[in-house]
Amino acid sequence: MGYKDVKFPENSLFLITGGAGFIGSNLCEALLRMGYSVRCLDDLSTGKLENIQPFFENENFEFIEGTIVDFNTCNTACKDVDYVSNQAAWGSVPRSIEMPLKYEEINIKGTLNMMEAARQNNVKKFVYASSSSVYGDEPNLPKKEGIEGNVLSPYALTKKVAEEYGRLYSNLYGLETIGLRYFNVFGRRQDPYGYYAAVIPKFVKALLNDEAPIFNGDGSQSRDFTYIENVIEANLKAMISSSDVQGEAFNIAYGGQVSLIELFEELKGLLNKDVSPIFGPERVGDVKHSNADISKAQTMLGYNPSYDFYAGIRLVTDWYKSNLK
């Protein structure tokens, strides 16, 4: 693990918003294993209680059921907190196109509420989830911070606004913020159910049930799939980073490029299945190709991802085989 040497002061308290979600619950788990105190804030609109159920037995774990849309809840959650990892947001490009007002409320107002609550409670570091979607229609690969195009969805716009607020709160108020532009994160506890499920859990679930997965497009589109352990590393290293990097946003990925057809063939082999996919229309707002330049995060955060796509996909396939009912 790329974060095994990361150390915080002994009595540090961490707030993970969206802590019952996929990424948030993995962050909670990692910090608890390291022996730190963790407070989890989640309204369970997309997160699941079962993701954090095992942590309730740990005396260092506290759960607050509440929403980041309510400032008083954010303020209460930030009391005595040293480090915030703000993972609370609604994902999914297609859903944001259908529900732009909801995304404005949760992803923009909620993130601003959290930054303001963190500022008022003198939080040391505020790390928040951004997204590769901020690159929009910028065609060049690999994606490099500072070279962004026009965003293609309300979801992408909410992440762009979060980055602007992060920069502003660092420059104006001295809150040390760091944005992490995630590139197609996958791993244990990622939800395979529902219309808006991410592609890897959706494909795994279909294959385990001997069903044909549906491709949005011809399958040639490519992604920089990023295993969850790399994302945990990025969050923890962002929390211990120098004050010099406050207000910045960083690509968080492995730096690879895998097409959906390649992904499908790899999963077929790992699961020993012989199924042919169904090809459907491309999704509105989707980016065709995604690949990250991670040199900025490597240089300024000491980010050094340990798991490439193939190592991660083997681990997550084993997890789903054991955990998918």
Side-chain angles (χ1 to χ4, degrees):
M1 293 184 294
Y3 53 89
K4 63 179 184 299
D5 296 327
V6 173
K7 295 282 191 295
F8 298 94
E10 193 175 333
N11 296 318
S12 296
L13 174 59
F14 296 80
L15 171 63
I16 313 296
T17 71
F22 157 47
I23 294 175
S25 65
N26 277 285
L27 278 166
C28 288
E29 182 178 39
L31 286 162
L32 289 168
R33 281 183 174 169
M34 294 165 77
Y36 298 110
S37 295
V38 175
R39 181 179 292 158
C40 166
L41 172 65
D42 204 301
D43 66 0
L44 303 178
S45 61
T46 57
K48 295 180 182 302
L49 207 54
E50 66 197 56
N51 286 340
I52 56 171
Q53 203 72 53
F55 312 151
F56 283 95
E57 298 169 9
N58 191 321
E59 63 181 10
N60 290 332
F61 182 73
E62 176 190 357
F63 175 58
I64 299 173
E65 185 174 346
T67 175
I68 59 170
V69 173
D70 179 67
F71 177 74
N72 290 332
T73 299
C74 298
N75 205 31
T76 299
C78 282
K79 184 174 173 55
D80 300 322
V81 165
D82 297 294
Y83 305 93
V84 171
S85 178
N86 187 55
Q87 306 297 318
W90 271 25
S92 173
V93 164
R95 181 168 56 185
S96 77
I97 292 171
E98 294 171 12
M99 305 171 68
L101 296 180
K102 193 72 173 174
Y103 277 72
E104 167 81 21
E105 179 184 36
I106 296 171
N107 292 13
I108 295 181
K109 182 185 177 185
T111 299
L112 180 57
N113 280 343
M114 280 304 309
M115 286 186 189
E116 179 61 17
R119 178 179 81 89
Q120 291 188 18
N121 285 276
N122 300 309
V123 165
K124 292 176 185 174
K125 195 80 74 173
F126 186 94
V127 180
Y128 63 93
S130 185
S131 164
S132 60
S133 64
V134 299
Y135 288 104
D137 62 3
E138 162 55 40
N140 294 306
L141 295 177
K143 304 297 184 186
K144 193 169 178 61
E145 299 93 340
I147 309 173
E148 294 86 19
N150 297 305
V151 296
L152 300 174
S153 67
Y155 170 72
L157 180 58
T158 67
K159 293 303 185 180
K160 187 173 184 177
V161 172
E163 289 189 5
E164 290 299 324
Y165 268 122
R167 197 172 291 112
L168 191 66
Y169 262 68
S170 286
N171 295 338
L172 202 57
Y173 303 118
L175 176 68
E176 296 194 13
T177 72
I178 291 181
L180 303 179
R181 293 179 179 174
Y182 298 151
F183 281 69
N184 295 88
V185 185
F186 70 98
R188 57 194 173 272
R189 293 199 285 272
Q190 191 171 28
D191 189 3
Y193 298 101
Y195 180 71
Y196 300 108
V199 65
I200 288 179
K202 190 180 276 191
F203 279 12
V204 171
K205 175 174 165 283
L207 286 168
L208 285 172
N209 293 327
D210 295 305
E211 296 168 356
I214 299 172
F215 280 70
N216 300 118
D218 61 7
S220 65
Q221 60 266 53
S222 62
R223 298 290 181 260
D224 196 333
F225 290 110
T226 309
Y227 188 55
I228 184 64
E229 290 294 320
N230 299 333
V231 169
I232 295 170
E233 178 197 342
N235 273 271
L236 300 189
K237 287 187 173 174
M239 288 176 191
I240 61 165
S241 63
S242 162
S243 298
D244 296 342
V245 304
Q246 65 174 328
E248 297 283 347
F250 298 89
N251 290 341
I252 301 303
Y254 186 77
Q257 196 174 4
V258 176
S259 74
L260 295 196
I261 285 289
E262 289 174 300
L263 164 66
F264 178 64
E265 291 300 326
E266 185 71 14
L267 289 173
K268 273 174 60 177
L270 289 168
L271 295 168
N272 195 25
K273 298 289 183 178
D274 185 18
V275 177
S276 297
I278 297 169
F279 295 95
E282 292 186 7
R283 290 195 312 195
V284 176
D286 260 4
V287 174
K288 184 76 173 174
H289 298 289
S290 186
N291 168 235
D293 179 333
I294 59 172
S295 58
K296 182 182 174 183
Q298 288 173 313
T299 302
M300 298 176 76
L301 298 181
Y303 173 65
N304 185 28
S306 307
Y307 294 82
D308 67 7
F309 165 74
Y310 297 99
I313 204 70
R314 285 193 293 273
L315 289 166
V316 79
T317 303
D318 288 342
W319 186 88
Y320 280 120
K321 282 194 287 191
S322 299
N323 289 274
L324 262 189
K325 304 294 183 279

